[in-house]
Amino acid sequence: MVKVEFLGPIKKEQMSVDVKDLKELAQLLKSDPDIKEWLKECAVAVNDNLVNSLDVELKDGDKVSLLPPVCGG
Amino acid sequence: MVKVEFLGPIKKEQMSVDVKDLKELAQLLKSDPDIKEWLKECAVAVNDNLVNSLDVELKDGDKVSLLPPVCGG
Amino acid sequence: MVEIYEGPLDIKKIFSSWYEWGKDRNFGAFITFVGIVRDEEGIEALSFEIYEPVLSRWFDRWQQKAKSRGAYIKMAHSKGDVPLHESSYAAAVFSPKRRVALELMDEFVEDFKANAPIWKYDVKKSNRIYAKERSHPIEGSGLLDI
Amino acid sequence: MVEIYEGPLDIKKIFSSWYEWGKDRNFGAFITFVGIVRDEEGIEALSFEIYEPVLSRWFDRWQQKAKSRGAYIKMAHSKGDVPLHESSYAAAVFSPKRRVALELMDEFVEDFKANAPIWKYDVKKSNRIYAKERSHPIEGSGLLDI
C-alpha cells in the first residue's frame, strides 16, 4: 500500500491506496471531490522528494505528499 | 581668502589662498608638485557640498575640500 | 540546518548566535533578512505550518549552491502563531565578498517565498484562514492534474 | 543620521537597537548588511578616516530616496582602527515589502562603496598604508585636473 498525505490547508486525512504509479494515483484522486480542485495547484513529493514527472513507480510503503500553494515568511 | 583642505591620505596641510573661482584654484594647485598628481582623482566639495562644475565662484570664507579615492566598509 | 521555533522568533538572540558563529570564519560580508508580521487587513496574528522533510531538502540544495560560491546560509522560521510586530522569518548569508552575499540573499529570499513548503494563515477573530490569494504554487505544481 | 563609532562596532548592540526602533513601525522587511574585517594579505587591522560633513549629506540624500519608496535606512561606521574579525560597517533597510528592501540595500551598499567619503588604510607592522588600489574616485572626480 502507498500512503498519501495532504499538507497545509487541504482538509483531508491521509489515506492508504493500492496504486502502482503516480498516473494511477492521479486517476484515483480525480474522482475525489474534496481533492480534485487542489490537483492543479499542488506539487507532489514521493518519499519527501519533489517530483516533476508522472513516470514514477510506487512500491509498498512509499509515501506521496501533496503540497498546495505556499507562502512562508 | 578661501580655505583649501586636503582629506584622507593627501599629505598636505590646509592652506588659505586668494582665488575668485575654482578655475583659478585649479591653476594654482597644478603648480604644486605635492598636489598635481592627486587632482585627476579627487572630487571637490565647496562648503561641504560636492560640485560637478568649475563655474563656481568663491568668496571670502569659503572652504574647498579635495576628496581622494574612497573605500568605506 | 533550518532552525524551527514554536511561535515568534527571538531575533536578537538568533542574530547574535549567527554573528558569533560567523565572525571568526573570515567572511567579509554578513547579511540578514528578517520578516516582521505587519498590522494589515485586520489580522491579529499570522500562523504557519511547515513540512520539515521537504523544507530541509530544499534548504540543503541552497546550502550547496551557497558553498559553490564560497558562501554560507542560515535560516530560522516560526511555526504556529506569530502576533503583530513579531518576527516569523530570518535568513542570513555569509560570504567573503559583498556581491555574492547581496545576490545570494536576493535569490534565496525569492525562492524561499516561491517554493519553501510553508503555509500561512491569517488569524482574524481567533479564526485561522488560509492566505490563499498570497500563496504561490510550488514549481512543478499540477503534475497530478491529468 | 550616520552613527560613527571610535574603533570596532558593537554589532549585536547596534542590531538590537535598530530592530527595537523598527519592529513596531509596521515594516514587514528588515535587512542588515555587516562588513567584517578579513584576515588577508598580512594585515593586522584596517583603519578608517571619515569626512563627516560630506558623509551626512550623502546619507541624507539616500534617506530621502528611501523615504520616497516607503523605506528607512540606518548606518553605522567605525573610525580609527578595527582589528581582524571585528566589524567596521553596518547598514539596515526597513521597508513594508521585501522587494524594495532587497533592491534598496543592494543600491545603497554599492553607492556607499563608490562614493561615501571614507578612507581605508591597511595596518601592517603598525604602519598605516592607504589602500589605494582598492579605492574608487568619487563620482565627478578630476574636476580640477584642467
Side-chain angles (χ1 to χ4, degrees), chain A residues 1-42:
Chain A
M1 299 292 272
V2 171
K3 194 168 84 176
V4 185
E5 60 177 16
F6 304 94
L7 298 174
I10 311 179
K11 295 289 161 255
K12 182 86 184 175
E13 288 298 304
Q14 66 167 61
M15 57 198 207
S16 284
V17 294
D18 187 13
V19 292
K20 66 172 196 310
D21 57 26
L22 283 180
K23 233 173 258 171
E24 217 177 294
L25 177 63
Q27 294 297 348
L28 189 85
L29 294 176
K30 227 165 74 172
S31 65
D32 184 330
D34 292 350
I35 300 306
K36 191 180 183 312
E37 281 310 298
W38 286 103
L39 291 184
K40 65 176 180 302
E41 41 191 15
C42 275

Side-chain angles (χ1 to χ4, degrees), chain C residues 12 19 26 32 34 39 87, chain D residues 19-20 26 30 32 34 39 87:
Chain C
K12 294 178 202 171
Y19 182 67
N26 219 27
T32 58
V34 174
D39 182 359
S87 297
Chain D
Y19 182 66
E20 277 305 316
N26 219 29
F30 171 45
T32 59
V34 174
D39 182 359
S87 297

